Amino acid sequence: MALVQKIVNYEYTIDDIYALPEGQRAELIEGQMYMMATPSRKHQKVSSYLHNEIYNFIKDHNGDCEVYAAPFAVFLNADNKTYVEPDISVICDKDKLNDKGCNGAPDCIIEIVSPTSRQMDYYKKLFQYRMANVKEYWVVDPDKEIITVYNFEQDIMEEYTFSDVVKVGIYEDLEIDFSKININ
């Protein structure tokens, strides 16, 4: 997700997120607020493709999981100091879902990198998602055409390109063919 600035020297809470003006989006990590920019067209093409592939798989297999595209609130911790909006969230425990979003770790999270979110997606969120017990985390970089998959349950990290087929680890038989994404 595109980030434009970090607001410092103050510990924010989820109440501050809800107090933002209409249309303004931000994420909150350990009390620090990060304002979010509008995603690019390329970002949205990748997000739409991934969401559709996962959604159709779940629907076609009568699956119990649900998939959500941003903006979708994820409250990773029991405190009120971490709030994220992953580009794609897959939640298999419906007890975590309510009208506000997901309380606790989704099973799988996909973040699509933009030039301004690179450090956030590869470092800050990687750490947060691992510590929150997300099972699988993908960092999809449309500019570099690289997908980095972290399977935290098996402690494995693998890299793929946009010409590869990538297996979704939380499912036995879901693979996503990145060569079908026309990002130009």
Side-chain angles (χ1 to χ4, degrees):
M1 192 56 60
L3 302 171
V4 291
Q5 65 179 350
K6 173 183 171 184
I7 302 172
V8 294
N9 298 329
Y10 181 81
E11 190 164 284
Y12 291 90
T13 68
I14 290 169
D15 291 336
D16 295 306
I17 294 288
Y18 287 127
L20 290 171
E22 183 73 27
Q24 177 66 59
R25 293 178 50 216
E27 292 183 308
L28 188 65
I29 296 180
E30 296 179 346
Q32 294 300 301
M33 190 180 299
Y34 299 87
M35 306 308 289
M36 299 168 69
T38 303
S40 69
R41 181 187 60 83
K42 187 186 294 188
H43 179 285
Q44 291 301 88
K45 283 183 85 170
V46 172
S47 178
S48 293
Y49 176 77
L50 293 172
H51 180 271
N52 286 337
E53 290 292 301
I54 296 168
Y55 175 84
N56 288 332
F57 176 85
I58 293 169
K59 183 181 78 164
D60 293 347
H61 290 83
N62 297 314
D64 291 330
C65 301
E66 294 190 23
V67 60
Y68 295 92
F72 178 73
V74 174
F75 307 91
L76 278 178
N77 306 320
D79 65 22
N80 66 351
K81 295 180 179 157
T82 301
Y83 164 98
V84 292
E85 292 183 1
D87 291 307
I88 306 286
S89 301
V90 180
I91 299 103
C92 299
D93 180 354
K94 291 188 181 171
D95 289 338
K96 292 181 179 181
L97 297 170
N98 63 27
D99 285 342
K100 289 187 176 186
C102 177
N103 292 297
D107 293 85
C108 180
I109 289 178
I110 300 173
E111 293 286 4
I112 302 162
V113 175
S114 66
T116 57
S117 74
R118 190 167 302 285
Q119 181 150 352
M120 179 69 90
D121 294 334
Y122 279 105
Y123 299 103
K124 285 187 186 293
K125 287 185 177 179
L126 171 66
F127 177 76
Q128 291 296 316
Y129 296 156
R130 184 179 190 112
M131 297 310 294
N133 293 318
V134 170
K135 294 176 183 176
E136 186 171 354
Y137 174 44
W138 291 22
V139 181
V140 179
D141 191 330
D143 290 335
K144 294 183 177 182
E145 297 189 8
I146 292 175
I147 305 100
T148 307
V149 176
Y150 299 91
N151 183 322
F152 295 132
E153 288 189 314
Q154 297 178 8
D155 202 26
I156 296 171
M157 186 274 295
E158 298 176 299
E159 278 195 351
Y160 302 90
T161 69
F162 272 43
S163 61
D164 291 327
V165 174
V166 181
K167 184 183 179 322
V168 180
I170 64 168
Y171 292 107
E172 287 291 318
D173 52 354
L174 173 58
E175 296 180 330
I176 296 178
D177 186 351
F178 275 82
S179 69
K180 291 183 178 180
I181 301 176
N182 179 6
I183 58 174
N184 298 318

